[in-house]
Amino acid sequence: MSRRRRRVWLAFGVLSVIAAALLIPGSPAYLPEVLALESGYEGRSTRRWIKDLDSPDDQTRKKAIFAVGAIGSDAGDAVPRLAAIMLEDPSRECRIDAALALTKMPPASRAAIPQLIQALEDKEVFLRMNAAIALFRLKEEARPAVATLIRGIKDDENHTNLGGFTFTIQEIMTLALGRASAGTEEGVPTLIEILTQGATVELRRAAVRALGEVGPPSKPAAPHLRALLKSHNAETREAAAESLKRIGEPVELAEEGRARPDEFELPVPERKYLWQIEHHGNVLAKHGFGPFSTAVKAADPVALTRLLSDNFRGTEVQNPRRVRSTGFVEVERLQDAGHPPASLSRSAFVDRLLAFRRAFPSQPPNVKLALMGLSPKVRGDLDGPWQGTAQLRLYGEHAPGAPAEIVALLRYEIPRPTEEALAKPGWLRGAGVEQVLTAKAPRYLFADVARERGLDPDRLHDNWTGSRFQPGSGGAYVGDFNRDGILDILIADINGHFLYQGGTGGKFQDVTTAIGLPARPTARPYAAWLDIDGDGWDDLILGGRVYRNEAGARFTDYTDRCRLRLPTDTGGIVVADYDRDGKLDLYVTRNGRPGGNSWLAGHCDDPRGNTLFKNLGDWRFEDVTKAAGASGDRRSTFTAAWLDANDDGWPDLHVPNEFGDGVLLVNKGDGTFAPQPLADRPADFGTMGLAVGDVNNDGRIDIYCANMYSKAGTRVIGNLAPDAFPPPVMERMRRFVAGSQLHLNKGGTKFEQVGPKMQVAACGWAYGACLADLDNDGWLDVFGTAGYISQDRNKPDG
């Protein structure tokens, strides 16, 4: 949370305000705190670590920087060297880590205040962030930084949390300004300006806290603070009350404001009820579903029968609808066709389960019974019977080297799932098979051949083995930069950039430095191939710099000539000639935190939105976002996609939204766009991946949005009281966790939402996605990556 981890409980339907963490800032995207021995770190003395700060080896310096930061203020002798590294080191990583180490070393870090002030205006955004945190922790000793902090707060490029912090650079600078100007009026006018005109709730709330840090000189802000005591937001009310107290002003209205319940706060009994169900779900998964899966894997009819009650009632789909797909993978899905279910005895139900198991004769498959739905049959009656749904998945090989998978959707009835009840025989009172999907192939479709083809994955950042967690750590970009008819691969990673030239036999060769590109990493690992000057050779935008392709022989840095000022928090770039003038234009996306602290707001806190750059020719671009109406209206946008949605020959643009529905920007052909929703109700949420293509081969381009799906979230929201929130709110909350969506283009900019119907919704916590004909059968397949928090790198959660 990182930003996304903070939202997990909201995904479960409990709407609350963001934790008041700004007064104790830290970065989940960076190195964890490490306990240091008094004599040094990892058995080495502080003196030896300080000596290693002068090592010519980047990795040795990085480790030494980390060590002295972990030791903290006791390593104060290292501060001057850290300050020099922060500003002068050739390694970007060392510079950033040096600033990070200084955040952990107050009060000794006061010796670096002049350098930290200089770092506040550095081009490297991570450096600016860490410098602001270090000055914040130095409190009033950072007073020399006041003027620079004020300039930084007013710079919109500092409105970024860098994709990993729980606050923006602007917000931490605001808090640092409050502490640095404590006891003086120096920062008060700026803080009042932010309080009254700040672009986001979080920035205004930072100003509230900062005014409290200033103390009595903030009295001119008292009327504004007193007005916030009536805010609907509990965190804002409490921050205002606390600041008024520190200023020395009465807060008699604070209690009235604090006593008002938040508009969307669940009553405590309702929250406890949801917690109890989830607790019982954990017990069921461990003590009930675990033994069930083990018995299926072992093909043990005795063990399975023991789990079923004597009066067990089983069912299966009768006269099911059969959906078949043949080709490389043979798939058959049996699903309900509207007929009454057929009854199964206890022994017949066991036979059905063992029939699934017999599809894997060569070796036992992996088996998992996953909890989906769970609730008391009568709402609130915890001691009565319970019911729910579960997914039984068996996967392995039906023959040596031939993969197979069976997924069955089960509906079940059980007593209250306690550990004691599940330890007894016959706890499964009833179960029905509602759908069965079987898939098998003669061999595996993909194999990892990266190393044998010349690609080196070991040089890339790995969040499992790296020294810090980094969300959004890079991407791969494919193009034919030398026009030899063989695709090349550019990999942009936080460890560096690597251009692999494709050769005969599917081999690749690293030509990064030979071709004139920097191997060093940049602040944001994004890239885009496009022919900027129309000479037929793909040029390259790489981490904010622009490179001209010199006929495939090398790349020349054209950044200064191009003067393309991309936002420092650029998330991605999608390319098209939107105005059909023969020159390729750029649409630049960025994502942000939820506006108003709540996903219900449906927008992010960044008022800038996305940016459309028109290619003017001669390596010049113009920001035409406002004139074209192309910002996306404060949507948090990980990516976007150009498509001709209405078949009129003009590129339209779909702008997805992390916090709700995206928008289709229909190209009017006059340089402007008209916004249009894809549906008349909530249809998307948590969109972090997007792909477009003709899924059903009808000649129209469809849209696949990779959204957030959560079994637990669906369960929690399903167990809410029907009237827990107003109907429009409930409808939106159900969409929070409903999963990915496929929008079928019906013509005339009309779309039909068929994600659940075509069973492509339950992809997990989805990120990147693509539509591609993976088995060459003439139909586009869907590939979706998923997974967010995992305990084991070999067992992702999606």
Side-chain angles (χ1 to χ4, degrees):
M1 313 144 252
S2 94
R3 181 171 53 83
R4 293 201 60 80
R5 281 201 293 265
R6 277 171 49 201
R7 304 183 198 144
V8 171
W9 181 240
L10 282 178
F12 295 165
V14 178
L15 304 176
S16 61
V17 293
I18 294 175
L22 287 176
L23 289 181
I24 314 175
S27 170
Y30 272 130
L31 301 168
E33 296 290 343
V34 177
L35 295 175
L37 299 174
E38 184 175 347
S39 58
Y41 173 72
E42 286 189 348
R44 297 185 65 195
S45 69
T46 302
R47 185 184 303 273
R48 290 183 63 186
W49 285 118
I50 294 176
K51 184 177 180 181
D52 281 351
L53 292 175
D54 293 316
S55 170
D57 178 68
D58 288 357
Q59 293 304 313
T60 300
R61 289 200 310 284
K62 278 173 61 67
K63 190 169 183 179
I65 292 167
F66 178 86
V68 296
I71 295 168
S73 189
D74 289 342
D77 289 346
V79 168
R81 181 67 187 122
L82 288 173
I85 291 173
M86 177 179 65
L87 296 180
E88 302 167 5
D89 200 278
S91 166
R92 169 182 174 265
E93 294 291 304
C94 287
R95 294 181 66 212
I96 293 171
D97 289 351
L100 175 63
L102 289 170
T103 69
K104 303 177 181 181
M105 301 178 72
S109 55
R110 59 176 171 256
I113 286 176
Q115 293 84 1
L116 289 169
I117 294 173
Q118 187 175 343
L120 287 177
E121 297 182 306
D122 196 275
K123 292 182 179 180
E124 171 55 62
V125 286
F126 282 93
L127 205 65
R128 299 204 299 268
M129 175 69 87
N130 285 335
I133 294 172
L135 291 166
F136 168 84
R137 290 177 173 168
L138 284 168
K139 301 181 180 179
E140 63 273 7
E141 290 189 279
R143 185 155 294 154
V146 166
T148 308
L149 286 168
I150 290 173
R151 287 198 302 272
I153 293 168
K154 294 181 178 181
D155 183 354
D156 284 343
E157 291 299 315
N158 286 326
H159 183 87
T160 174
N161 71 338
L162 307 179
F165 289 82
T166 58
F167 45 85
T168 67
I169 301 176
Q170 275 183 320
E171 290 161 19
I172 192 61
M173 284 182 169
T174 298
L175 289 163
L177 175 62
R179 286 188 164 189
S181 57
T184 75
E185 299 178 355
E186 193 172 0
V188 172
T190 297
L191 293 174
I192 291 178
E193 180 182 352
I194 299 169
L195 177 62
T196 56
Q197 302 176 34
T200 68
V201 172
E202 290 81 5
L203 182 57
R204 296 194 294 273
R205 190 179 299 135
V208 170
R209 294 196 174 99
L211 287 164
E213 294 280 353
V214 170
S218 292
K219 284 184 180 292
H224 303 291
L225 294 172
R226 195 168 288 113
L228 294 177
L229 296 176
K230 297 182 180 181
S231 169
H232 286 285
N233 187 289
E235 188 177 355
T236 298
R237 295 195 304 269
E238 291 167 6
E242 179 62 27
S243 290
L244 283 168
K245 290 178 182 178
R246 299 183 73 170
I247 290 171
E249 289 287 308
V251 292
E252 53 278 350
L253 294 180
E255 294 305 319
E256 176 188 344
R258 188 178 290 113
R260 295 174 58 182
D262 199 82
E263 184 179 0
F264 295 123
E265 185 175 4
L266 281 174
V268 172
E270 185 71 12
R271 279 180 270 168
K272 288 183 176 179
Y273 177 67
L274 298 176
W275 295 336
Q276 285 180 310
I277 292 177
E278 287 306 289
H279 166 71
H280 284 77
N282 291 333
V283 172
L284 176 60
K286 179 178 180 180
H287 299 285
F289 287 179
F292 186 99
S293 301
T294 300
V296 173
K297 181 173 184 176
D300 187 342
V302 175
L304 281 171
T305 302
R306 182 180 180 275
L307 301 177
L308 278 56
S309 66
D310 292 339
N311 58 350
F312 175 85
R313 299 182 304 277
T315 62
E316 66 176 347
V317 179
Q318 185 170 225
N319 298 323
R321 179 186 174 213
R322 295 176 181 269
V323 180
R324 287 191 177 95
S325 174
T326 59
F328 178 81
V329 180
E330 295 184 7
V331 179
E332 181 180 66
R333 186 170 70 237
L334 305 180
Q335 62 188 60
D336 185 15
H339 304 291
S343 297
L344 293 175
S345 65
R346 179 165 66 167
S347 60
F349 185 80
V350 170
D351 287 343
R352 293 292 183 275
L353 298 176
L354 295 179
F356 298 153
R357 173 62 179 81
R358 285 192 292 271
F360 304 87
S362 58
Q363 60 183 6
N366 296 289
V367 180
K368 182 177 181 180
L369 184 62
L371 179 67
M372 297 178 70
L374 177 67
S375 64
K377 289 191 73 172
V378 177
R379 192 177 196 280
D381 183 7
L382 299 180
D383 292 323
W386 288 53
Q387 62 185 4
T389 55
Q391 182 193 77
L392 176 63
R393 180 173 179 239
L394 300 85
Y395 60 100
E397 295 182 347
H398 66 92
E405 180 175 12
I406 296 177
V407 179
L409 178 63
L410 308 180
R411 184 170 294 278
Y412 60 86
E413 181 176 324
I414 57 175
R416 180 173 182 171
T418 64
E419 187 172 346
E420 295 76 16
L422 297 170
K424 298 176 182 178
W427 57 264
L428 187 55
R429 295 176 177 176
V433 180
E434 300 202 330
Q435 178 177 291
V436 179
L437 182 144
T438 304
K440 60 173 59 177
R443 56 182 170 78
Y444 290 96
L445 184 60
F446 292 99
D448 183 356
V449 296
R451 288 182 174 84
E452 67 184 70
R453 296 298 177 92
L455 305 173
D456 183 7
D458 293 334
R459 66 202 306 188
L460 306 179
H461 177 76
D462 186 337
N463 277 329
W464 286 99
T465 60
S467 59
R468 69 173 184 237
F469 175 79
Q470 176 66 45
S473 56
Y477 305 83
V478 177
D480 182 7
F481 79 88
N482 56 358
R483 290 171 49 182
D484 63 355
I486 302 174
L487 292 176
D488 313 300
I489 301 176
L490 173 75
I491 298 177
D493 188 76
I494 64 169
N495 285 350
H497 305 306
F498 312 101
L499 177 59
Y500 290 96
Q501 180 178 324
T504 58
K507 300 290 186 178
F508 291 89
Q509 178 183 1
D510 185 350
V511 295
T512 312
T513 54
I515 209 74
L517 294 177
R520 65 182 183 276
T522 55
R524 299 288 287 182
Y526 63 85
W529 293 107
L530 72 155
D531 183 3
I532 295 176
D533 55 1
D535 65 354
W537 298 88
D538 283 343
D539 307 302
L540 179 64
I541 297 175
L542 180 60
R545 302 198 69 80
V546 180
Y547 296 89
R548 183 177 190 267
N549 187 338
E550 305 287 357
R554 68 178 292 103
F555 287 90
T556 302
D557 193 331
Y558 262 44
T559 307
D560 292 338
R561 176 174 175 176
C562 190
R563 300 180 68 181
L564 175 63
R565 192 165 185 261
L566 294 171
T568 56
D569 57 351
T570 293
I573 301 173
V574 290
V575 180
D577 180 9
Y578 84 94
D579 54 359
R580 302 198 321 193
D581 66 352
K583 296 183 286 290
L584 292 175
D585 312 299
L586 308 176
Y587 191 70
V588 180
T589 64
R590 59 160 67 88
N591 61 290
R593 302 169 307 179
N597 288 338
S598 171
W599 285 352
L600 283 176
H603 59 76
C604 77
D605 67 350
D606 191 337
R608 297 171 297 168
N610 304 315
T611 308
L612 177 62
F613 289 100
K614 175 180 169 59
N615 189 339
L616 301 176
D618 195 27
W619 296 89
R620 294 176 299 124
F621 287 88
E622 178 186 2
D623 182 349
V624 296
T625 312
K626 186 175 181 180
S631 72
D633 193 22
R634 296 186 68 163
R635 285 172 169 82
S636 177
T637 309
F638 277 66
T639 186
W642 293 99
L643 70 154
D644 187 0
N646 54 3
D647 299 316
D648 65 352
W650 291 89
D652 308 305
L653 181 66
H654 182 60
V655 181
N657 183 12
E658 186 185 4
F659 305 123
D661 290 312
V663 63
L664 179 66
L665 299 179
V666 180
N667 195 328
K668 296 167 64 177
D670 60 359
T672 66
F673 295 85
Q676 177 180 310
L678 295 181
D680 59 1
R681 63 192 184 284
D684 284 307
F685 186 88
T687 309
M688 291 169 286
L690 179 66
V692 298
D694 184 3
V695 171
N696 55 356
N697 285 350
D698 66 351
R700 302 187 186 100
I701 303 299
D702 310 303
I703 299 173
Y704 180 73
C705 292
N707 298 335
M708 187 176 72
Y709 168 75
S710 169
K711 293 189 293 290
T714 301
R715 191 166 56 248
V716 170
I717 291 177
N719 282 313
L720 282 172
D723 58 351
F725 301 111
V729 174
M730 291 293 291
E731 184 179 24
R732 183 171 294 184
M733 288 173 59
R734 282 189 287 270
R735 187 60 241 176
F736 282 176
V737 292
S740 298
Q741 186 64 273
L742 177 58
H743 302 271
L744 280 187
N745 190 335
K746 309 304 288 186
T749 66
K750 301 295 183 182
F751 289 83
E752 178 186 2
Q753 288 66 50
V754 297
K757 176 183 176 181
M758 297 189 70
Q759 304 208 10
V760 295
C763 189
W765 200 314
Y767 283 81
C770 76
L771 294 171
D773 184 3
L774 301 175
D775 56 359
N776 295 319
D777 66 352
W779 295 87
L780 291 178
D781 307 304
V782 179
F783 178 79
T785 58
Y788 184 61
I789 301 172
S790 301
Q791 302 300 318
D792 184 332
R793 69 178 300 151
N794 296 314
K795 298 177 181 178
D797 66 341

